[in-house]
Amino acid sequence: MRKQMIAWAFACAAAFSTTAAHSADTLLIGTEGAYPPFNFVDSAGKIGGFDVDIGLALCAKMNVECEVVAQDWDGIIPGLIAKKYDIIIASMFITEERKKQVAFTDPYYLAAMTHVLPKGSDIKEFTNEALKGKVIGAQSGTTQADYIAATYPDADIKLYPTQDETNLDMVNGRLDMQVGDMLPMLDWVTKSEDGKCCELVGDPITDKKFVGDGVGIALRQDDSDLREKLNKALADIRADGTYKTINDKYFTIDVYTMK
C-alpha cells in the first residue's frame, strides 16, 4: 500500500479536523491502514478502525492533539525508531523479540491466531507432516509468518505485503491455507463477500511464543513517561465506558477479555 499521511487535530473525542503540520505537543500515531476492522483507509481517504479509534480516545483522555500516519507494515517499527511517529497502534502482538527493539504499553486487547481454509478443503490435521508440500500463506513481517515458518517447514510458504493480498490469493485458489489474526479473519469470512470462500478451522493458536502477551501500543524504549500516561489513559477509558463504546462499534465480544 502506498505510504500516506492523514492527520486529524483531535480537539475532543468526537471532533476532528485535517492539519498539514504538527506542533511539539502533538502525538503522532503510526498505523498500517490495511488491516480491517482494526485499521483501514475508507472511501474518503481517511484512516479509521478500532486501533485508530482507541488511539484517538487515549489522546482525548490525555488532553493532547493527535495525527495519524499510515505506514506499510514492514517498515512500521523502523519508522518508530526513526521518529516518524511517537507510537504504533496497529494490532501489534507483544512479543519478546519485538521488546528488543521497542517498549509496549499494557495490552489493549487480547489476541489469537487461526487457520483459514477454503470451504471443502481436505486438510484435517495441522501438523508439518500433514501439510508437507501444501501452499500456506501469511502477511510478511508478522508473528503469523513466524508461526508457519516454524511449524510447517516442509510446506510451500508464501508471504505477502498486506493481509488483503494474502486474502486475494486465498480467494483465487493459490493458497491451500493461511494463518491470520483471529479477529480480522473472523470478520473477513463472516462479513465480506469474497471471504465466503473460506472458514476458520481448528483450535485458536495461542502459543505465547507467537501471540505474546496480547496486543499493545509500541513506543520507543526511552519514552517511559509516555508509556505511563498511555497506560493510565487506557485504564481510564476502560473505566468510563469509552472503550466499550468503541469495542461494540466493531465486535460482538469484549476483545479486551475475549469474553
Side-chain angles (χ1 to χ4, degrees):
M1 184 178 124
R2 180 174 61 86
K3 293 180 182 177
Q4 56 184 302
M5 178 185 290
I6 299 171
W8 294 299
F10 194 76
C12 63
F16 301 86
S17 64
T18 303
T19 178
H22 66 276
S23 63
D25 60 351
T26 298
L27 191 69
L28 298 182
I29 299 173
T31 196
E32 185 184 14
Y35 203 60
F38 290 95
N39 54 79
F40 54 83
V41 179
D42 67 18
S43 59
K46 289 187 176 181
I47 303 177
F50 176 80
D51 290 332
V52 175
D53 287 358
I54 290 293
L56 295 175
L58 295 176
C59 288
K61 189 61 67 175
M62 295 188 297
N63 198 29
V64 297
E65 292 186 344
C66 283
E67 292 181 9
V68 182
V69 180
Q71 167 68 56
D72 291 348
W73 180 259
D74 285 349
I76 205 162
I77 287 180
L80 174 67
I81 295 170
K83 299 186 177 181
K84 291 178 64 176
Y85 29 81
D86 302 303
I87 60 175
I88 297 170
I89 307 183
S91 291
M92 183 174 285
F93 291 178
I94 303 168
T95 65
E96 292 304 315
E97 190 65 28
R98 286 175 176 150
K99 286 179 183 178
K100 296 175 183 177
Q101 301 181 75
V102 299
F104 284 98
T105 63
D106 296 336
Y108 66 97
Y109 75 89
L110 297 183
M113 300 186 296
T114 186
H115 303 95
V116 185
L117 300 178
K119 290 179 178 177
S121 171
D122 61 358
I123 294 175
K124 305 300 179 186
E125 297 181 17
F126 301 101
T127 63
N128 182 50
E129 183 179 4
L131 295 174
K132 182 177 181 179
K134 297 290 188 181
V135 184
I136 304 177
Q139 183 179 3
S140 63
T142 64
T143 51
Q144 293 93 316
D146 294 340
Y147 178 82
I148 61 174
T151 309
Y152 309 118
D154 293 327
D156 180 5
I157 294 173
K158 292 192 174 183
L159 303 180
Y160 301 83
T162 68
Q163 185 61 53
D164 284 345
E165 290 172 80
T166 314
N167 294 348
L168 182 61
D169 261 13
M170 194 101 199
V171 172
N172 290 328
R174 300 188 185 102
L175 293 176
D176 296 307
M177 185 180 84
Q178 69 160 300
V179 171
D181 189 3
M182 175 169 280
L183 289 171
M185 291 296 93
L186 180 61
D187 193 71
W188 181 58
V189 301
T190 58
K191 296 181 181 179
S192 70
E193 190 63 33
D194 57 353
K196 291 179 180 179
C197 67
C198 303
E199 59 186 343
L200 309 189
V201 181
D203 295 331
I205 302 164
T206 57
D207 186 339
K208 283 199 171 186
K209 180 179 178 182
F210 299 100
V211 303
D213 296 315
V215 174
I217 300 167
L219 61 164
R220 289 181 288 275
Q221 292 178 336
D222 57 353
D223 285 344
S224 55
D225 289 347
L226 178 57
R227 182 179 182 277
E228 290 180 10
K229 290 176 182 178
L230 287 164
N231 281 339
K232 183 181 184 305
L234 178 59
D236 288 345
I237 67 169
R238 283 289 299 171
D240 69 11
T242 302
Y243 185 101
K244 185 179 187 305
T245 298
I246 296 169
N247 181 97
D248 293 353
K249 178 180 174 182
Y250 297 98
F251 308 109
T252 57
I253 63 170
D254 182 352
V255 297
Y256 190 82
T257 62
M258 284 296 179
K259 295 178 181 178

